[in-house]
């Protein structure tokens, strides 16, 4: 009801083809948290592909800077987080010449995405624990899917879970108006009263 109202959406991204929050994320300015490398000072997004550990010793996981290839032990992480900042992929409103303006190609809605590699020390699993859990789950598609949602914060690409409109359309059955289809046991009517009319929809449910 108010012009300054706010809408806040928060979720893990689930499956790529079905995720509503991921569709909203793609419409946003897509902010990612950038942190500096303690060796070369290059600002970067912490990504799973740069976690490294000796064979059979995931608890010794460290991070490798993709810019200078230096090894970053996890003890540096809290300092990196303190020096980090959110950076929009498609920057939104900015104060330019004393006026708020939307840059060309910018997007109005702020959106934030972050993964579990950023978890501050003592507030959750460390890099070694994440590496161990990945090794446990990588051979199990169901557990890997959950791990991907909760740890990486990205949608899971699952070829078996796609909502194709053509397939849904093929399952539709013809029926005459004002007739209850065979197998329908319950009818539910929802009504929305407007100033000059009544909008309604009727749905049927079977066993």
């Amino acid at each position: 009801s108010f012009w300054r109202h706010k809408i806040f959406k928060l979720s893990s991204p689930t499956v790529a083809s079905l995720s509503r929050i991921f569709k909203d994320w793609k419409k946003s300015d897509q902010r990612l948290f950038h942190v500096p490398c303690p060796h070369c000072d290059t600002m970067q997004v912490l990504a799973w592909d740069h976690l490294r550990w000796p064979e059979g010793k995931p608890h010794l996981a460290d991070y490798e800077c993709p810019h200078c290839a230096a090894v970053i032990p996890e003890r540096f992480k809290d300092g990196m987080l303190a020096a980090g900042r959110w950076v929009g992929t498609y920057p939104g409103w900015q104060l330019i010449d004393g006026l708020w303006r939307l840059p060309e190609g910018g997007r109005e809605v702020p959106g934030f995405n972050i993964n579990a590699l950023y978890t501050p020390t003592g507030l959750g699993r460390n890099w070694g624990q994440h590496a161990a859990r990945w090794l446990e789950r990588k051979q199990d598609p169901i557990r890997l899917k959950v791990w991907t949602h909760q740890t990486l914060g990205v949608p899971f690409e699952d070829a078996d879970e796609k909502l194709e409109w053509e397939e849904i359309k093929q399952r539709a059955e013809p029926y005459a108006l004002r007739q209850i289809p065979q197998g329908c046991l319950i009818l539910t009517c929802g009504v929305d009263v407007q100033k000059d009319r009544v909008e309604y929809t009727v749905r049927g449910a079977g066993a």
Side-chain angles (χ1 to χ4, degrees):
S1 300
F2 297 90
W3 70 272
R4 295 182 63 193
H5 74 278
K6 301 220 174 13
I7 299 174
F8 178 76
K9 301 181 181 182
L10 173 68
S11 177
S12 55
T14 67
V15 179
S17 62
L18 304 177
S19 177
R20 292 191 297 173
I21 197 73
F22 186 62
K23 290 181 175 65
D24 286 337
W25 155 254
K26 290 195 291 185
K27 297 175 184 177
S28 75
D29 62 4
Q30 299 184 21
R31 301 184 195 188
L32 300 172
F33 199 69
H34 289 61
V35 295
C37 169
H39 303 287
C40 67
D41 288 329
T42 303
M43 299 296 288
Q44 59 193 278
V45 176
L46 295 182
W48 178 258
D49 291 343
H50 299 293
L51 207 63
R52 304 283 186 266
W53 60 85
E55 182 71 28
K57 298 180 179 180
H59 62 285
L60 297 179
D62 289 319
Y63 195 85
E64 181 181 282
C65 175
H67 301 280
C68 67
V71 174
I72 306 174
E74 192 163 14
R75 67 177 183 272
F76 289 99
K77 183 170 64 174
D78 288 346
M80 295 164 66
L81 294 178
R85 65 176 183 270
W86 290 100
V87 178
T89 307
Y90 304 95
W93 292 98
Q94 297 179 9
L95 192 60
I96 303 175
D97 297 329
L99 296 173
W100 286 99
R101 304 177 188 274
L102 188 66
E104 183 177 355
R107 297 179 183 173
E108 292 188 77
V109 178
F112 304 84
N113 176 272
I114 199 165
N115 62 60
L117 295 182
Y118 288 88
T119 304
T121 303
L123 294 183
R125 296 185 180 93
N126 59 35
W127 290 346
Q129 291 168 327
H130 286 309
R133 284 170 66 84
W134 178 78
L135 290 173
E136 293 173 2
R137 288 156 173 73
K138 68 175 183 175
Q139 302 300 333
D140 184 337
I142 300 298
R143 299 179 76 194
L144 181 61
K145 181 188 303 183
V146 176
W147 180 90
T148 302
H149 299 162
Q150 296 181 347
T151 304
L152 300 187
V154 296
F156 188 80
E157 297 288 347
D158 189 340
D160 296 328
E161 293 194 51
K162 288 188 176 179
L163 190 63
E164 301 291 353
W165 69 268
E166 295 93 340
E167 296 179 12
I168 301 299
K169 184 178 179 181
Q170 289 174 2
R171 296 171 61 182
E173 300 177 4
Y175 63 90
L177 293 177
R178 299 182 179 85
Q179 291 189 10
I180 301 174
Q182 185 175 2
C184 178
L185 303 179
I186 297 176
L187 291 179
T188 304
C189 180
V191 182
D192 183 20
V193 180
Q194 299 291 325
K195 183 178 180 180
D196 58 349
R197 67 193 187 282
V198 172
E199 297 277 357
Y200 72 93
T201 180
V202 178
R203 295 177 178 265

